[in-house]
mmCIF file of all heavy atoms in Angstrom:
data_model
loop_
_atom_site.group_PDB
_atom_site.id
_atom_site.type_symbol
_atom_site.label_atom_id
_atom_site.label_comp_id
_atom_site.label_asym_id
_atom_site.label_seq_id
_atom_site.Cartn_x
_atom_site.Cartn_y
_atom_site.Cartn_z
ATOM 1 N N ILE A 2 81.323 42.011 16.922
ATOM 2 C CA ILE A 2 81.128 41.410 15.587
ATOM 3 C C ILE A 2 82.542 41.633 14.938
ATOM 4 O O ILE A 2 83.050 42.626 15.021
ATOM 5 C CB ILE A 2 79.969 42.001 14.718
ATOM 6 C CG1 ILE A 2 79.801 41.304 13.395
ATOM 7 C CG2 ILE A 2 80.012 43.503 14.686
ATOM 8 C CD1 ILE A 2 78.493 41.670 12.643
ATOM 9 N N GLU A 3 82.901 40.583 14.187
ATOM 10 C CA GLU A 3 84.147 40.708 13.398
ATOM 11 C C GLU A 3 83.881 39.939 12.100
ATOM 12 O O GLU A 3 83.361 38.858 12.004
ATOM 13 C CB GLU A 3 85.345 39.994 14.156
ATOM 14 C CG GLU A 3 86.596 40.186 13.466
ATOM 15 C CD GLU A 3 87.803 39.686 14.231
ATOM 16 O OE1 GLU A 3 87.718 39.428 15.502
ATOM 17 O OE2 GLU A 3 88.849 39.475 13.705
ATOM 18 N N VAL A 4 84.177 40.635 11.069
ATOM 19 C CA VAL A 4 83.880 40.282 9.726
ATOM 20 C C VAL A 4 85.253 40.508 8.973
ATOM 21 O O VAL A 4 85.793 41.565 9.001
ATOM 22 C CB VAL A 4 82.806 40.964 8.937
ATOM 23 C CG1 VAL A 4 82.682 40.488 7.515
ATOM 24 C CG2 VAL A 4 81.456 40.715 9.754
ATOM 25 N N ARG A 5 85.614 39.444 8.264
ATOM 26 C CA ARG A 5 86.845 39.625 7.309
ATOM 27 C C ARG A 5 86.431 39.133 5.880
ATOM 28 O O ARG A 5 85.884 38.008 5.824
ATOM 29 C CB ARG A 5 88.028 38.723 7.873
ATOM 30 C CG ARG A 5 88.643 39.167 9.051
ATOM 31 C CD ARG A 5 89.767 38.381 9.471
ATOM 32 N NE ARG A 5 90.330 38.894 10.637
ATOM 33 C CZ ARG A 5 91.553 38.526 11.078
ATOM 34 N NH1 ARG A 5 92.270 37.772 10.426
ATOM 35 N NH2 ARG A 5 92.045 38.947 12.252
ATOM 36 N N VAL A 6 86.791 39.912 5.039
ATOM 37 C CA VAL A 6 86.502 39.491 3.580
ATOM 38 C C VAL A 6 87.813 39.736 2.768
ATOM 39 O O VAL A 6 88.450 40.686 2.935
ATOM 40 C CB VAL A 6 85.343 40.176 2.948
ATOM 41 C CG1 VAL A 6 83.977 39.577 3.570
ATOM 42 C CG2 VAL A 6 85.415 41.546 2.841
ATOM 43 N N GLU A 7 88.056 38.769 1.889
ATOM 44 C CA GLU A 7 89.127 38.907 0.970
ATOM 45 C C GLU A 7 88.722 38.503 -0.438
ATOM 46 O O GLU A 7 88.126 37.482 -0.618
ATOM 47 C CB GLU A 7 90.393 37.985 1.426
ATOM 48 C CG GLU A 7 91.019 38.231 2.656
ATOM 49 C CD GLU A 7 92.073 37.294 3.123
ATOM 50 O OE1 GLU A 7 92.645 36.620 2.154
ATOM 51 O OE2 GLU A 7 92.475 37.264 4.273
ATOM 52 N N GLY A 8 88.900 39.489 -1.339
ATOM 53 C CA GLY A 8 88.626 39.250 -2.779
ATOM 54 C C GLY A 8 87.058 39.194 -3.051
ATOM 55 O O GLY A 8 86.588 38.391 -3.883
ATOM 56 N N LEU A 9 86.289 40.034 -2.291
ATOM 57 C CA LEU A 9 84.837 40.139 -2.603
ATOM 58 C C LEU A 9 84.639 41.125 -3.701
ATOM 59 O O LEU A 9 84.848 42.247 -3.508
ATOM 60 C CB LEU A 9 84.090 40.584 -1.356
ATOM 61 C CG LEU A 9 82.522 40.691 -1.507
ATOM 62 C CD1 LEU A 9 81.936 39.388 -1.915
ATOM 63 C CD2 LEU A 9 81.872 41.151 -0.229
ATOM 64 N N ILE A 10 84.476 40.702 -4.957
ATOM 65 C CA ILE A 10 84.513 41.468 -6.144
ATOM 66 C C ILE A 10 83.305 41.074 -7.124
ATOM 67 O O ILE A 10 82.702 40.039 -7.002
ATOM 68 C CB ILE A 10 85.837 41.380 -6.879
ATOM 69 C CG1 ILE A 10 86.012 39.915 -7.352
ATOM 70 C CG2 ILE A 10 86.929 41.868 -6.076
ATOM 71 C CD1 ILE A 10 87.036 39.630 -8.328
ATOM 72 N N ILE A 11 83.144 41.873 -8.022
ATOM 73 C CA ILE A 11 82.191 41.622 -9.263
ATOM 74 C C ILE A 11 83.124 41.063 -10.335
ATOM 75 O O ILE A 11 84.020 41.750 -10.727
ATOM 76 C CB ILE A 11 81.465 42.905 -9.684
ATOM 77 C CG1 ILE A 11 80.657 43.461 -8.575
ATOM 78 C CG2 ILE A 11 80.676 42.531 -11.006
ATOM 79 C CD1 ILE A 11 80.031 44.750 -8.935
ATOM 80 N N PRO A 12 82.848 39.695 -10.660
ATOM 81 C CA PRO A 12 83.714 39.191 -11.792
ATOM 82 C C PRO A 12 83.412 39.622 -13.201
ATOM 83 O O PRO A 12 82.717 38.967 -13.908
ATOM 84 C CB PRO A 12 83.491 37.739 -11.541
ATOM 85 C CG PRO A 12 82.088 37.609 -11.096
ATOM 86 C CD PRO A 12 81.870 38.903 -10.297
ATOM 87 N N ARG A 13 83.961 40.816 -13.553
ATOM 88 C CA ARG A 13 83.715 41.409 -14.795
ATOM 89 C C ARG A 13 84.866 42.286 -15.167
ATOM 90 O O ARG A 13 85.535 42.945 -14.252
ATOM 91 C CB ARG A 13 82.443 42.057 -14.954
ATOM 92 C CG ARG A 13 82.338 43.262 -14.061
ATOM 93 C CD ARG A 13 81.222 44.160 -14.320
ATOM 94 N NE ARG A 13 81.440 45.214 -13.415
ATOM 95 C CZ ARG A 13 80.639 46.204 -13.038
ATOM 96 N NH1 ARG A 13 79.477 46.207 -13.654
ATOM 97 N NH2 ARG A 13 80.992 47.142 -12.215
ATOM 98 N N GLY A 14 85.090 42.531 -16.293
ATOM 99 C CA GLY A 14 86.159 43.559 -16.766
ATOM 100 C C GLY A 14 87.447 43.393 -15.960
ATOM 101 O O GLY A 14 88.194 42.441 -16.160
ATOM 102 N N ASP A 15 87.682 44.407 -15.026
ATOM 103 C CA ASP A 15 88.972 44.409 -14.327
ATOM 104 C C ASP A 15 88.800 43.694 -12.942
ATOM 105 O O ASP A 15 89.772 43.638 -12.324
ATOM 106 C CB ASP A 15 89.337 45.809 -14.062
ATOM 107 C CG ASP A 15 88.335 46.615 -13.305
ATOM 108 O OD1 ASP A 15 87.218 46.131 -12.928
ATOM 109 O OD2 ASP A 15 88.477 47.698 -13.028
ATOM 110 N N ASN A 16 87.772 42.922 -12.814
ATOM 111 C CA ASN A 16 87.613 42.161 -11.488
ATOM 112 C C ASN A 16 87.917 42.918 -10.306
ATOM 113 O O ASN A 16 88.809 42.533 -9.408
ATOM 114 C CB ASN A 16 88.469 40.822 -11.607
ATOM 115 C CG ASN A 16 87.898 39.882 -12.538
ATOM 116 O OD1 ASN A 16 86.692 39.769 -12.733
ATOM 117 N ND2 ASN A 16 88.807 39.053 -13.182
ATOM 118 N N THR A 17 87.346 44.028 -10.149
ATOM 119 C CA THR A 17 87.562 44.856 -8.920
ATOM 120 C C THR A 17 86.337 45.130 -8.126
ATOM 121 O O THR A 17 85.241 44.832 -8.692
ATOM 122 C CB THR A 17 88.295 46.153 -9.229
ATOM 123 O OG1 THR A 17 87.452 46.992 -10.133
ATOM 124 C CG2 THR A 17 89.693 45.884 -9.873
ATOM 125 N N ASN A 18 86.425 45.620 -7.076
ATOM 126 C CA ASN A 18 85.336 46.061 -6.186
ATOM 127 C C ASN A 18 85.011 47.576 -6.457
ATOM 128 O O ASN A 18 85.890 48.392 -6.170
ATOM 129 C CB ASN A 18 85.566 45.844 -4.759
ATOM 130 C CG ASN A 18 84.675 46.617 -3.743
ATOM 131 O OD1 ASN A 18 83.568 46.772 -4.115
ATOM 132 N ND2 ASN A 18 85.369 47.172 -2.774
ATOM 133 N N PRO A 19 83.782 47.951 -6.906
ATOM 134 C CA PRO A 19 83.496 49.327 -7.167
ATOM 135 C C PRO A 19 82.904 50.071 -5.882
ATOM 136 O O PRO A 19 82.666 51.221 -6.071
ATOM 137 C CB PRO A 19 82.429 49.206 -8.346
ATOM 138 C CG PRO A 19 81.676 48.001 -7.983
ATOM 139 C CD PRO A 19 82.736 47.053 -7.430
ATOM 140 N N VAL A 20 82.728 49.342 -4.866
ATOM 141 C CA VAL A 20 82.113 49.896 -3.654
ATOM 142 C C VAL A 20 83.195 50.361 -2.636
ATOM 143 O O VAL A 20 84.016 49.574 -2.185
ATOM 144 C CB VAL A 20 81.145 48.831 -2.986
ATOM 145 C CG1 VAL A 20 80.571 49.385 -1.710
ATOM 146 C CG2 VAL A 20 80.106 48.419 -3.970
ATOM 147 N N PRO A 21 83.245 51.589 -2.302
ATOM 148 C CA PRO A 21 84.208 52.100 -1.420
ATOM 149 C C PRO A 21 84.095 51.777 0.130
ATOM 150 O O PRO A 21 85.104 51.770 0.832
ATOM 151 C CB PRO A 21 84.261 53.657 -1.552
ATOM 152 C CG PRO A 21 82.891 53.990 -1.992
ATOM 153 C CD PRO A 21 82.306 52.712 -2.807
ATOM 154 N N ARG A 22 82.903 51.497 0.559
ATOM 155 C CA ARG A 22 82.659 51.215 1.989
ATOM 156 C C ARG A 22 81.719 50.127 2.165
ATOM 157 O O ARG A 22 80.901 49.789 1.290
ATOM 158 C CB ARG A 22 82.128 52.546 2.607
ATOM 159 C CG ARG A 22 83.003 53.634 2.453
ATOM 160 C CD ARG A 22 82.936 54.817 3.395
ATOM 161 N NE ARG A 22 83.060 54.539 4.926
ATOM 162 C CZ ARG A 22 84.236 54.515 5.509
ATOM 163 N NH1 ARG A 22 85.370 54.679 4.935
ATOM 164 N NH2 ARG A 22 84.150 54.259 6.845
ATOM 165 N N LEU A 23 81.990 49.376 3.449
ATOM 166 C CA LEU A 23 81.184 48.209 3.664
ATOM 167 C C LEU A 23 80.727 48.134 5.093
ATOM 168 O O LEU A 23 81.353 48.586 5.972
ATOM 169 C CB LEU A 23 82.093 46.870 3.455
ATOM 170 C CG LEU A 23 81.451 45.600 3.458
ATOM 171 C CD1 LEU A 23 80.539 45.292 2.323
ATOM 172 C CD2 LEU A 23 82.529 44.526 3.447
ATOM 173 N N SER A 24 79.602 47.733 5.405
ATOM 174 C CA SER A 24 78.980 47.552 6.761
ATOM 175 C C SER A 24 78.441 46.089 6.750
ATOM 176 O O SER A 24 78.399 45.314 5.790
ATOM 177 C CB SER A 24 77.994 48.575 7.070
ATOM 178 O OG SER A 24 76.823 48.337 6.364
ATOM 179 N N ALA A 25 78.100 45.644 8.018
ATOM 180 C CA ALA A 25 77.579 44.391 8.304
ATOM 181 C C ALA A 25 76.360 44.518 9.172
ATOM 182 O O ALA A 25 76.339 45.316 10.031
ATOM 183 C CB ALA A 25 78.579 43.433 8.906
ATOM 184 N N THR A 26 75.315 43.713 8.884
ATOM 185 C CA THR A 26 74.136 43.813 9.545
ATOM 186 C C THR A 26 73.753 42.417 10.144
ATOM 187 O O THR A 26 73.733 41.434 9.426
ATOM 188 C CB THR A 26 72.855 44.221 8.713
ATOM 189 O OG1 THR A 26 73.141 45.510 8.220
ATOM 190 C CG2 THR A 26 71.607 44.154 9.536
ATOM 191 N N LEU A 27 73.434 42.378 11.371
ATOM 192 C CA LEU A 27 73.067 41.099 12.134
ATOM 193 C C LEU A 27 71.509 41.002 11.873
ATOM 194 O O LEU A 27 70.891 42.011 12.276
ATOM 195 C CB LEU A 27 73.469 41.001 13.515
ATOM 196 C CG LEU A 27 72.905 39.904 14.373
ATOM 197 C CD1 LEU A 27 73.405 38.569 13.896
ATOM 198 C CD2 LEU A 27 73.134 40.099 15.807
ATOM 199 N N VAL A 28 71.065 39.878 11.414
ATOM 200 C CA VAL A 28 69.643 39.636 11.335
ATOM 201 C C VAL A 28 69.289 38.560 12.128
ATOM 202 O O VAL A 28 69.936 37.479 12.064
ATOM 203 C CB VAL A 28 69.175 39.389 9.824
ATOM 204 C CG1 VAL A 28 67.778 39.049 9.675
ATOM 205 C CG2 VAL A 28 69.718 40.456 8.921
ATOM 206 N N CYS A 29 68.241 38.659 13.031
ATOM 207 C CA CYS A 29 67.787 37.632 13.905
ATOM 208 C C CYS A 29 66.190 37.488 13.667
ATOM 209 O O CYS A 29 65.502 38.335 13.244
ATOM 210 C CB CYS A 29 68.033 38.011 15.328
ATOM 211 S SG CYS A 29 69.593 38.187 15.848
ATOM 212 N N ASN A 30 65.803 36.280 13.963
ATOM 213 C CA ASN A 30 64.369 36.019 14.022
ATOM 214 C C ASN A 30 63.626 36.196 12.711
ATOM 215 O O ASN A 30 62.544 36.416 12.616
ATOM 216 C CB ASN A 30 63.600 36.789 15.098
ATOM 217 C CG ASN A 30 64.333 36.661 16.445
ATOM 218 O OD1 ASN A 30 64.792 35.630 16.774
ATOM 219 N ND2 ASN A 30 64.485 37.736 17.150
ATOM 220 N N GLY A 31 64.450 36.107 11.632
ATOM 221 C CA GLY A 31 63.878 36.088 10.226
ATOM 222 C C GLY A 31 63.505 37.513 9.703
ATOM 223 O O GLY A 31 62.779 37.476 8.621
ATOM 224 N N LYS A 32 63.898 38.524 10.328
ATOM 225 C CA LYS A 32 63.607 39.811 9.733
ATOM 226 C C LYS A 32 64.633 40.914 10.101
ATOM 227 O O LYS A 32 65.284 40.823 11.125
ATOM 228 C CB LYS A 32 62.188 40.274 10.206
ATOM 229 C CG LYS A 32 62.044 40.579 11.677
ATOM 230 C CD LYS A 32 60.666 41.018 12.065
ATOM 231 C CE LYS A 32 60.520 41.373 13.571
ATOM 232 N NZ LYS A 32 59.301 41.811 13.895
ATOM 233 N N LEU A 33 64.725 41.825 9.178
ATOM 234 C CA LEU A 33 65.654 42.990 9.309
ATOM 235 C C LEU A 33 65.167 43.875 10.331
ATOM 236 O O LEU A 33 63.966 44.226 10.299
ATOM 237 C CB LEU A 33 65.830 43.623 7.943
ATOM 238 C CG LEU A 33 67.093 44.597 7.722
ATOM 239 C CD1 LEU A 33 68.313 43.862 7.913
ATOM 240 C CD2 LEU A 33 66.918 45.170 6.339
ATOM 241 N N ALA A 34 65.976 44.276 11.305
ATOM 242 C CA ALA A 34 65.359 45.206 12.364
ATOM 243 C C ALA A 34 65.096 46.528 11.797
ATOM 244 O O ALA A 34 65.737 47.007 10.806
ATOM 245 C CB ALA A 34 66.503 45.324 13.470
ATOM 246 N N ALA A 35 64.055 47.170 12.442
ATOM 247 C CA ALA A 35 63.558 48.436 11.931
ATOM 248 C C ALA A 35 64.685 49.609 12.177
ATOM 249 O O ALA A 35 64.746 50.507 11.406
ATOM 250 C CB ALA A 35 62.358 48.912 12.562
#
């Protein structure tokens, strides 16, 4: 899996991202795996 994001932010005040870490989840068949 390869994910690239540029400029994923909350558009308010200083327009920055307040979250220090990010992960990605693959969802198949209509439900989040247990």
Side-chain angles (χ1 to χ4, degrees):
I2 183 171
E3 185 171 343
V4 176
R5 290 181 183 200
V6 293
E7 293 178 20
L9 181 58
I10 60 167
I11 298 173
R13 63 168 185 192
D15 60 359
N16 288 328
T17 60
N18 159 39
V20 177
R22 302 201 56 87
L23 186 70
S24 65
T26 298
L27 173 65
V28 179
C29 294
N30 309 319
K32 65 180 180 176
L33 196 60

